[in-house]
Amino acid sequence: MDVFAALVGQEAATVTFRRAAAEADALVKAGRGLGTEENAQSGARTGAMTHAWIVTGPPGSGRLEAARAFAAALQCRTGTGCGECPGCHTTLTGSNADVRMVVPEGLSIAVADMRALVMRAGTAPSGGRWQVVVVSDADRLTEGAGNALLKAIEEPSPRTVFLLCTPSTHPDDISVTIRSRCRVVPLVQARPEALAAALAEGQGVAPDVAAWAAAAAQGDVELARRLAGDPEVRKRREAVLTVPRKLTSVGACFDAASALIESAEAEAAALVAEMDSGERADLERALGAGGTGRGAAGAMRGAAGQLKDLEKRQKSRATRAQRDALDRALVDLAGFYRDVLAVQFGAPVRPVHGDTAANAKAAAGKWTAESTLRRLEAVLGCREAITLNVKPRIAVEAMMLSLWRG
Amino acid sequence: MLAATRAVTSGYATGPVRVTEGGSRVTRATMSGVTAAIPPALTLVLGDEELLSARAIAQTVHAARAADPGSDVREYEGGALVPGEVAEMLSPSLFGGRRVLVLRAGQDARKDMITTLLAYAKNPDPEVHLIVAHLGGAKGKALADGLKSAGATVLAVPKMKGARERVAFVREEIRRLNGSCTEDAATGLLDAVGNDLRELAAACSQLMADTDGRITAETVARYYKGRAEVSGFTVADAAIVGDVPGALEALRWALHVGVDPVPIADALADGVRTVARVASAGRGSAYQLASSLGMPAWKIERAQRQSRGWSPDGLVDAMQAAADCNAAVKGGAEDRGYALERAVVAVATARRAGGGR
């Protein structure tokens, strides 16, 4: 299967990448690299290929997948991204020696990591094609790390390609000096039809379910897959969408808030619990737990501090996961009020939540457009409050009460 | 053996032993009611109320001193004790005479020490009075249990829990000093001084010294103004019933005594939440509502009283104010105190206005 098939609804970007990969292949076959004298003289270059790229796009548009597919096409023996040859295969599975992925787990990418990476990036590709560096969240580069990367991008080796993924080219996301040396490939929010087709084709989802999931996911490919495939995710979403109907009194608001918080907590706990226990077991083993013989007990004596550190990190990750889960629920909720507003204005747009369109219509008849807008504002305000570190329970309760009053 | 230098030898002393408890005047008074009966050879002071524990030790020491003015009093720390010392402290005195051994922080004594002490407890020397203070927790439990089964006299001094016990303590304290104290005066003193027993005892003796012995609420108000222990809940309670001056005063006190703004903001949100949930649950017995709302009955009863005058719209505004305040105290505002004041006023106003719409 073609490596670009995984990119849903990104036709323009795919064309750009294909042309670049084709020219890259021609260069490899001619035994040349980028930026050499011979290229200029021969006039063979069309300019489709360059050494530094920025892939931008909204959340869920598959920036990293796009970068990976392009990397595979560069390593492909046929130069098209066939998806069959060893080059494509090893890149997609992450085992290609000439493709380096930088996927930060923490909040930022440190300068030391970047320097080491830049050093490796300067070497010739061992497979004879291209040395590819993919930075998955280039918006997390610290200033120092960005400068280290800039040096390499300014004076690239002939066979080195940088692929940076960021949400946008706003200076907050990526420094202008890097941006000005890269070619930008914008990804778009996938249209629901394209997403539905991809779901139906790729995962064998029934067409009606696929269409519904695609609309509900609002262009987020990953979310659409989960909605179509995971009944738990679907159940949580349905629970969220019943919230507007449940808000009948002040007491009901608090019950709804509790239910929402608890569901987010449960989702986060399920997500991190397994990871947590695995990490803890690994660390304990590394510190010498469970050993026998002389000194085995003594080895663990100073380990409590390290275990505590680990617990602290895990707790912060759990909080993060919990907030993410809550945020997803709030986005769903905002989608519902957006649908109501669209009905009220008679806007010719598709509803986000096709399955609750009837509810949205009923609500549209009951509320004024102003009150719907106030409700939408309340949901968005709650999202912002949570990022400002307000206790989620308090923020959600205040939001529910506002939703009830309108 | 350096640790032994901590021991206080005051065999000749005529005054009270070196036991401080909120001023020496109290100490002398404490001793007045003690009978001169010879104390038992083994005494276990069990509990973690520090003042009462110190008093129990002092009384026992005093009783021993009364029985034999030449008694030799020594004090030891449980954690600093070494085996040789124990042998020395328990062996008969060369010069004869009674000896009083006080072992403080007995729960810190090491295992071998406990064994030695318990071996002695099985066959104690009648000329020696051993007083062991123990916090009563799981630590060093073997010592406490062993002494108990060896027949030691146990003086229980558990931690005081709840305002009622402390009110009783204050009244008892005044009575012991030959005064009288009304219930509301005791409550007022607790509000003003706080929950620390030493402070309370000192305040009681001070009040007795300054007045004729009849302590009423006015007396307390004259000598003690303001509040020592103000929490976010005090602020929230006042704001919820619409008492703006009271709430602002409590807030200033709370910030003044160093309560962090974040718990105050949380308490404010909690107050609004409780009233809202209780009000929307309808009328009913607090005990019936307790299980469905998942709150203790006393909290529901209080919220039922507080919920008078609230309208649903007002609750929405109040909750919004509480949420905004929560963001403000976590870095959203320049001045956290001002943000709290605004929230307090907003909550109280929301109650009166009953919502604009």
Side-chain angles (χ1 to χ4, degrees):
Chain A
M1 202 179 84
D2 190 277
V3 289
F4 291 109
L7 303 188
V8 179
Q10 310 293 354
E11 288 78 14
T14 307
V15 169
T16 310
F17 285 144
R18 274 191 201 287
R19 284 175 48 213
E23 198 190 48
D25 186 51
L27 284 172
V28 169
K29 296 219 163 104
R32 294 202 295 257
L34 288 163
T36 51
E37 289 277 313
E38 301 142 41
N39 287 342
Q41 285 161 8
S42 69
R45 290 258 285 129
T46 58
M49 181 63 190
T50 187
H51 71 283
W53 302 74
I54 293 179
V55 185
T56 66
S61 56
R63 296 185 291 255
L64 185 59
E65 285 71 33
R68 190 182 285 137
F70 183 38
L74 289 176
Q75 306 294 2
C76 176
R77 275 188 198 164
T78 62
T80 57
C82 60
E84 309 287 338
C85 69
C88 285
H89 190 71
T90 51
T91 307
L92 291 181
T93 55
S95 56
N96 193 305
D98 293 336
V99 179
R100 238 158 277 284
M101 304 286 286
V102 180
V103 184
E105 266 209 349
L107 286 174
S108 59
I109 304 174
V111 61
D113 299 346
M114 218 46 195
R115 288 210 182 106
L117 185 85
V118 164
M119 192 109 97
R120 288 298 300 269
T123 57
S126 58
R129 293 188 66 86
W130 299 91
Q131 186 75 265
V132 186
V133 174
V134 183
V135 181
S136 83
D137 295 271
D139 50 316
R140 296 192 190 177
L141 286 167
T142 62
E143 198 185 339
N147 288 339
L149 179 64
L150 181 63
K151 289 268 191 298
I153 293 183
E154 272 179 332
E155 292 174 22
S157 313
R159 287 284 184 90
T160 301
V161 181
F162 289 94
L163 305 178
L164 314 178
C165 306
T166 73
S168 75
T169 54
H170 190 275
D172 281 353
D173 282 342
I174 189 101
S175 78
V176 284
T177 39
I178 293 182
R179 191 244 159 278
S180 67
R181 285 161 179 82
C182 298
R183 191 170 297 174
V184 179
V185 181
L187 301 182
V188 295
Q189 186 171 18
R191 278 175 298 109
E193 303 84 51
L195 207 49
L199 283 178
E201 226 172 89
Q203 296 193 305
V205 181
D208 52 336
V209 178
W212 161 80
Q218 304 181 52
D220 189 328
V221 181
E222 184 51 35
L223 184 59
R225 279 197 193 116
R226 293 230 311 269
L227 271 175
D230 188 344
E232 273 297 308
V233 176
R234 236 175 310 181
K235 223 164 36 189
R236 273 199 291 269
R237 176 181 162 279
E238 271 157 25
V240 167
L241 289 179
T242 59
V243 162
R245 273 191 299 146
K246 277 192 192 153
L247 302 177
T248 52
S249 69
V250 171
C253 291
F254 285 94
D255 292 341
S258 274
L260 194 61
I261 298 273
E262 272 154 29
S263 137
E265 276 170 3
E267 187 185 344
L271 198 70
V272 296
E274 203 173 315
M275 243 191 311
D276 282 358
S277 56
E279 278 177 2
R280 194 186 167 89
D282 283 350
L283 182 61
E284 276 177 351
R285 199 173 327 114
L287 291 169
T292 50
R294 273 173 74 94
M300 276 304 283
R301 208 162 284 148
Q306 292 192 50
L307 288 174
K308 204 161 220 167
D309 273 354
L310 179 72
E311 270 167 23
K312 218 161 142 192
R313 283 202 302 277
Q314 289 176 337
K315 189 159 174 258
S316 103
R317 184 170 63 192
T319 312
R320 179 84 248 170
Q322 199 179 317
R323 283 194 192 169
D324 287 350
L326 200 54
D327 196 60
R328 277 194 291 277
L330 291 176
V331 169
D332 281 341
L333 204 54
F336 175 79
Y337 290 106
R338 174 240 181 231
D339 287 352
V340 176
L341 202 59
V343 173
Q344 283 172 330
F345 286 153
V349 291
R350 273 163 185 273
V352 170
H353 301 298
D355 46 349
T356 56
N359 290 344
K361 206 169 236 166
K366 250 192 324 191
W367 303 334
T368 63
E370 288 86 3
S371 83
T372 310
L373 203 53
R374 271 199 296 273
R375 288 184 169 97
L376 188 53
E377 290 278 340
V379 179
L380 300 180
C382 178
R383 283 184 72 193
E384 194 181 327
I386 289 172
T387 60
L388 288 178
N389 210 13
V390 173
K391 249 191 192 170
R393 183 174 288 273
I394 294 174
V396 170
E397 279 167 354
M399 175 195 77
M400 291 290 183
L401 286 170
S402 301
L403 291 183
W404 169 71
R405 182 168 71 176
Chain B
M1 311 324 117
L2 269 175
T5 54
R6 277 184 57 86
V8 181
T9 313
S10 53
Y12 64 92
T14 52
V17 286
R18 188 190 60 103
V19 179
T20 51
E21 32 171 73
S24 55
R25 282 185 299 121
V26 187
T27 317
R28 207 185 311 274
T30 312
M31 301 307 148
S32 60
V34 176
T35 56
I38 299 170
L42 290 174
T43 308
L44 174 64
V45 180
L46 193 62
D48 48 357
E49 192 60 85
E50 203 198 339
L51 173 76
L52 298 183
S53 167
R55 272 193 187 170
I57 294 172
Q59 281 181 0
T60 317
V61 169
H62 185 79
R65 183 77 59 52
D68 178 2
S71 298
D72 181 18
V73 180
R74 283 166 185 271
E75 296 194 18
Y76 300 89
E77 283 292 325
L81 220 52
V82 288
E85 216 173 3
V86 177
E88 189 226 307
M89 78 188 219
L90 293 172
S91 60
S93 165
L94 190 59
F95 306 109
R98 285 183 183 282
R99 290 204 297 155
V100 180
L101 305 174
V102 181
L103 181 62
R104 294 185 188 274
Q107 71 280 352
D108 293 339
R110 290 208 307 272
K111 219 171 182 179
D112 45 348
M113 225 58 61
I114 291 177
T115 320
T116 319
L117 284 170
L118 290 184
Y120 165 78
K122 286 206 182 88
N123 189 15
D125 182 345
E127 292 286 286
V128 172
H129 303 293
L130 178 63
I131 306 169
V132 178
H134 192 286
L135 283 185
K139 193 179 179 195
K141 200 164 182 299
L143 180 60
D145 290 349
L147 285 176
K148 263 191 234 171
S149 58
T153 308
V154 180
L155 302 175
V157 286
K159 199 88 176 164
M160 286 203 179
K161 290 192 188 79
R164 199 168 295 167
E165 271 185 48
R166 287 196 192 91
V167 167
F169 170 80
V170 169
R171 300 188 69 182
E172 177 60 31
E173 189 72 13
I174 300 269
R175 201 170 301 140
R176 234 164 39 90
L177 301 174
N178 298 323
S180 70
C181 174
T182 60
E183 176 120 17
D184 50 346
T187 316
L189 195 63
L190 275 169
D191 280 346
V193 176
N195 289 336
D196 189 69
L197 285 198
R198 266 179 206 286
E199 301 251 11
L200 280 174
C204 287
S205 76
Q206 192 65 56
L207 273 175
M208 285 304 294
D210 294 342
T211 65
D212 58 356
R214 278 198 303 277
I215 313 292
T216 61
E218 286 93 70
T219 325
V220 173
R222 183 161 2 115
Y223 287 96
Y224 292 93
K225 286 204 163 167
R227 300 168 73 93
E229 285 177 19
V230 190
S231 68
F233 294 105
T234 326
V235 181
D237 285 345
I240 293 292
V241 296
D243 176 11
V244 178
L248 287 181
E249 189 191 336
L251 174 62
R252 284 285 171 88
W253 271 110
L255 293 175
H256 185 71
V257 299
V259 181
D260 191 71
V262 173
I264 300 179
D266 283 351
L268 210 53
D270 185 63
V272 178
R273 174 192 301 133
T274 310
V275 166
R277 291 188 59 197
V278 170
S280 66
R283 292 184 201 293
S285 135
Y287 292 92
Q288 283 170 350
L289 292 175
S291 65
S292 65
L293 291 178
M295 285 184 216
W298 61 264
K299 202 173 175 185
I300 293 179
E301 262 173 11
R302 206 182 51 184
Q304 279 174 336
R305 281 197 304 277
Q306 289 173 338
S307 66
R308 274 179 217 130
W310 277 101
S311 68
D313 267 344
L315 285 169
V316 176
D317 288 337
M319 196 67 211
Q320 192 59 52
D324 290 345
C325 175
N326 206 292
V329 295
K330 285 176 177 168
E334 287 278 309
D335 184 344
R336 309 206 288 176
Y338 176 62
L340 280 171
E341 278 180 13
R342 273 188 54 175
V344 162
V345 172
V347 168
T349 315
R351 173 176 181 271
R352 245 175 294 152
R357 259 188 293 277

